Amino acid sequence: LGVVDPHQTEPATKMATTKRTTRSKTPTAARTAPEVDELLARARHPLEKDLQRLRRVMASADPSIREEVKWSSVSFRNEHDFFATVNLRSTDAVQLILHTGVKKKATAVSGVQVDDPGGLIEKWAAKDRCVVTLGRGAALKKNEAAFSKLIKEWLRFVKSA
């Protein structure tokens, strides 16, 4: 241990300093992407606060989920493939397309069977692709738990080709 001089303005030993970095606006910054922040900032989307909430819900649904910009939108993937893409054209409610990845898989023929007790699936676009509408504001908040369960079930079908 060193002796501390009360009149000394500099510490007796220099400690390592860490560089402060800019983090994503969401609390799960380790799995969020700065390019998604940039896309949403440029878009000035009327549902930006709701889209930020969606990002938090997605990140907390499963530890394997991370986000990227794909197809000019906010897209989510796990270690195998992409599985959800935000429909940024929707301005009255947060809406996503759930799918099983970039390339066609066996689920295109066999289909995806998931429970949807919250009634979030608006329509099936194909056997392995559906439109999910979550609402906005209070409606979105009310649908969070059901959506998180739906995502956990959906991930069972998102595997490598």
Side-chain angles (χ1 to χ4, degrees), residues 8-20:
Q8 185 177 359
T9 57
E10 295 287 322
T13 60
K14 292 199 176 207
M15 301 200 50
T17 59
T18 57
K19 185 177 178 182
R20 187 177 196 130

Side-chain angles (χ1 to χ4, degrees), residues 77-89:
R77 65 170 299 137
N78 66 5
E79 66 275 10
H80 301 292
D81 210 338
F82 287 91
F83 67 88
T85 303
V86 175
N87 178 5
L88 289 176
R89 289 176 286 190

Side-chain angles (χ1 to χ4, degrees), residues 46-138:
L47 300 175
E48 184 175 358
K49 287 182 182 179
D50 295 314
L51 293 172
Q52 296 296 349
R53 178 181 288 277
L54 169 70
R55 294 171 72 194
R56 289 189 298 271
V57 171
M58 276 294 224
S60 65
D62 187 276
S64 71
I65 296 173
R66 56 191 193 279
E67 63 184 19
E68 293 180 27
V69 173
K70 183 89 171 149
W71 300 294
S72 301
S73 188
V74 182
S75 295
F76 300 92
R77 65 170 299 137
N78 66 5
E79 66 275 10
H80 301 292
D81 210 338
F82 287 91
F83 67 88
T85 303
V86 175
N87 178 5
L88 289 176
R89 289 176 286 190
S90 176
T91 57
D92 58 339
V94 172
Q95 195 174 65
L96 297 100
I97 308 302
L98 296 185
H99 49 86
T100 57
V102 175
K103 295 182 179 178
K104 189 173 182 177
K105 297 184 176 71
T107 52
V109 175
S110 65
V112 172
Q113 290 85 32
V114 291
D115 288 331
D116 181 24
L120 302 176
I121 297 175
E122 186 174 313
K123 70 178 182 178
W124 285 91
K127 288 184 175 186
D128 63 345
R129 198 168 43 251
C130 67
V131 177
V132 173
T133 301
L134 299 172
R136 67 186 299 166

Side-chain angles (χ1 to χ4, degrees), residues 21-37 52 55-56 59-60 65-67:
T21 58
T22 305
R23 298 194 123 196
S24 172
K25 294 178 184 179
T26 59
T28 52
R31 292 179 302 171
T32 60
E35 62 266 20
V36 172
D37 288 329
Q52 296 296 349
R55 294 171 72 194
R56 289 189 298 271
S60 65
I65 296 173
R66 56 191 193 279
E67 63 184 19

